Amino acid sequence: MKIIKIAFLFLTSISFAQDGYWDNQRITNKEIKLSAGERILIKSEDFPDGTTEFVYRITLLDENQKMVSDLSSVLKAIPDPYFIGKGTGGAIDLASAISGTDKCTYAIFSDNNKATDFIKLGDTKKSCLYQNNPISKEAKVISIEKSTCLLDDSKTILFGFESKNWILGQKIILEIVPWVDIKASKIWSQTNKKTALNFIKTTQIASRLPNSDTFCFNIIEKLQNEYKFSVFQKLSNTERLSLINKFEDRALIETNTIEVYNKIIRQESKTLAKQGKYDDAIILMNDKIISKSKPSVLDYNTLGELYIYTKQLEKALKTLKIAENLDSSELLVQLNLAHTYMFLDKMSESREIHNKYKEQNVSINQTWKNKTINDLDKFQKAILPNDNFKKILRLVD
């Protein structure tokens, strides 16, 4: 008696230590009536996420026999599938305790495509497991590690039965109980990751980035740390985009692609401006760079310049002041500040900036004077107020 108590406590402690459970809410329990010589395919119920093993029991019954207990009840006494695999406690024998005298053969298929020839021809070549010796009972465990019947993205399994009775029909009971590994239930399969990858690649940031795989996989890693794939899969496209948007800024920084992305946005903004679509360019800069993390001094300068072209001069001044605080030595910012003061009729402030920097270059190959003349020409074509243009030209000449 003492030994029995110790064994019971040992099994109980192991059961609580395991990171998984027998899912008796999603079992397959089907009674199949098979005519003499008939073949039939039976599809399991959907496996829950994280299914790494399943136990099945096949029982052929005579008309007057009844099941002593269902497989799910039997498994409550078994700590985990690994004990079944090792045969501990005679679990498989316990699961196979009852059967009739009729016999059948069966095969297991991992998907529908592989099972099509079974019904027509009895072909089992594409099966992942085949019992060619007629049996009246069978109970086994199928493991993701040891069998091709169960893959990391398997949702169902198919059992093909063939009656070996020549005259009378027979009754078969098929029971399948999945083991859910809690840790595995949170891990995304390669197939699931590919599904998410294809979606992420369509988002605004990923679609702009060259070689965006690193960025996309960074987001997938963040998604799988917080959500099961089944949750992600049930979301609408709008909800998925909102979820992905949460991780985009961090992903850009962590994959060192933020400057690559910002450069693309700046170029798109300049292209829109050349087309006269200043409002679209402003929205693009604000939404994709300025409102995100760490915009550069040139980003603020570009936005300030767009505000000048749209005659939003107070916004231009405020934006360019932010740029100046970031880097007062950036002469492109200083020149745009001078332009803004000119349009605001604050000529003394504009002259002061021109006098300070007019002998310098705004870039390696462009002088302050040349840049000023080009800018005033563009302002003229954009039909901006030109009352003070001549004053500025005389100043830098």
Side-chain angles (χ1 to χ4, degrees):
M1 179 65 70
K2 186 176 181 181
I3 294 174
I4 294 173
K5 286 183 178 179
I6 291 172
F8 176 76
L9 289 172
F10 174 72
L11 289 175
T12 303
S13 65
I14 291 175
S15 178
F16 281 108
Q18 297 304 317
D19 295 325
Y21 57 93
W22 293 109
D23 192 333
N24 59 10
Q25 300 300 311
R26 283 173 279 195
I27 64 173
T28 299
N29 193 328
K30 296 188 178 182
E31 181 178 302
I32 307 143
K33 291 185 178 180
L34 205 58
S35 301
E38 183 184 1
R39 299 188 197 101
I40 192 170
L41 274 175
I42 301 298
K43 189 176 184 179
S44 72
E45 301 296 334
D46 288 349
F47 291 139
D49 290 335
T51 297
T52 56
E53 322 240 345
F54 67 84
V55 170
Y56 69 88
R57 178 168 69 171
I58 298 167
T59 311
L60 276 77
L61 299 179
D62 293 333
E63 287 299 322
N64 294 325
Q65 284 186 301
K66 295 181 179 179
M67 299 293 289
V68 173
S69 59
D70 62 73
L71 180 58
S72 179
S73 299
V74 172
L75 289 171
K76 287 180 181 178
I78 303 171
D80 71 76
Y82 306 103
F83 279 84
I84 294 178
K86 296 173 182 176
T88 299
I92 292 299
D93 291 337
L94 181 62
S96 307
I98 181 171
S99 69
T101 57
D102 290 342
K103 294 182 183 293
C104 75
T105 60
Y106 72 91
I108 303 178
F109 300 90
S110 56
D111 60 57
N112 281 315
N113 293 331
K114 294 178 180 178
T116 51
D117 290 338
F118 175 77
I119 294 295
K120 298 176 184 177
L121 308 170
D123 188 350
T124 59
K125 291 178 181 177
K126 295 180 181 179
S127 65
C128 54
L129 188 152
Y130 175 49
Q131 175 56 272
N132 58 354
N133 295 318
I135 52 97
S136 60
K137 62 179 180 180
E138 188 88 291
K140 288 185 178 180
V141 60
I142 298 294
S143 165
I144 199 170
E145 294 179 352
K146 299 177 181 179
S147 173
T148 57
C149 290
L150 186 62
L151 306 175
D152 62 0
D153 58 347
S154 293
K155 291 301 180 185
T156 58
I157 200 81
L158 290 104
F159 278 75
F161 293 100
E162 182 173 4
S163 170
K164 290 304 177 181
N165 282 5
W166 288 98
I167 300 174
L168 300 176
Q170 57 189 194
K171 185 187 294 183
I172 302 171
I173 304 297
L174 172 64
E175 299 165 278
I176 306 171
V177 181
W179 170 267
V180 178
D181 184 302
I182 294 173
K183 184 178 180 181
S185 70
K186 296 180 180 179
I187 296 174
W188 291 29
S189 70
Q190 291 303 315
T191 302
N192 293 344
K193 288 180 181 180
K194 186 175 181 180
T195 299
L197 176 66
N198 290 337
F199 182 81
I200 295 170
K201 279 181 173 289
T202 66
T203 61
Q204 290 187 0
I205 291 181
S207 62
R208 284 180 166 97
L209 288 174
N211 305 317
S212 64
D213 282 1
T214 302
F215 169 80
C216 293
F217 279 118
N218 184 283
I219 289 182
I220 289 174
E221 184 180 337
K222 290 173 171 49
L223 286 170
Q224 70 181 18
N225 286 339
E226 294 190 28
Y227 304 94
K228 291 183 179 181
F229 179 75
S230 57
V231 174
F232 178 79
Q233 194 174 32
K234 291 176 183 176
L235 297 176
S236 67
N237 285 348
T238 302
E239 290 170 327
R240 288 183 186 183
L241 288 171
S242 177
L243 192 60
I244 290 167
N245 185 252
K246 284 173 42 179
F247 305 117
E248 287 178 328
D249 289 350
R250 282 169 52 202
L252 283 170
I253 294 170
E254 291 171 11
T255 57
N256 296 317
T257 51
I258 188 165
E259 186 52 37
V260 174
Y261 176 69
N262 286 354
K263 186 176 181 181
I264 292 169
I265 294 299
R266 290 183 205 116
Q267 188 56 51
E268 288 184 14
S269 180
K270 289 178 181 178
T271 300
L272 288 170
K274 286 179 180 179
Q275 296 170 351
K277 300 177 181 178
Y278 295 111
D279 287 344
D280 291 339
I282 289 170
I283 291 170
L284 187 64
M285 286 294 298
N286 271 320
D287 289 353
K288 302 303 178 184
I289 296 184
I290 302 300
S291 64
K292 304 295 182 180
S293 57
K294 296 183 179 180
S296 71
V297 60
L298 292 179
D299 293 326
Y300 283 109
N301 181 66
T302 298
L303 181 62
E305 192 171 296
L306 290 169
Y307 281 136
I308 291 174
Y309 277 100
T310 55
K311 301 179 184 178
Q312 299 180 76
L313 299 176
E314 294 299 335
K315 286 185 178 180
L317 184 60
K318 180 180 178 181
T319 303
L320 292 166
K321 281 292 184 181
I322 294 173
E324 184 182 37
N325 288 334
L326 290 175
D327 185 0
S328 60
S329 68
E330 179 53 67
L331 296 193
L332 290 174
V333 173
Q334 295 297 337
L335 183 53
N336 275 326
L337 275 171
H339 294 330
T340 303
Y341 285 130
M342 175 190 69
F343 285 120
L344 288 170
D345 285 328
K346 297 181 178 181
M347 289 303 296
S348 60
E349 287 91 336
S350 182
R351 287 193 190 94
E352 182 180 351
I353 294 172
H354 280 291
N355 285 328
K356 186 174 182 180
Y357 299 110
K358 65 181 181 178
E359 301 302 328
Q360 298 188 40
N361 280 11
V362 296
S363 65
I364 295 174
N365 300 315
Q366 190 170 36
T367 65
W368 178 280
K369 176 181 176 181
N370 181 255
K371 175 65 173 167
T372 301
I373 293 170
N374 288 345
D375 284 354
L376 293 179
D377 183 57
K378 291 177 183 178
F379 293 151
Q380 184 84 33
K381 291 176 180 177
I383 318 178
L384 293 177
N386 60 6
D387 299 348
N388 295 316
F389 283 13
K390 290 182 179 180
K391 297 176 184 178
I392 298 299
L393 289 172
R394 284 196 298 270
L395 184 65
V396 297
D397 193 7

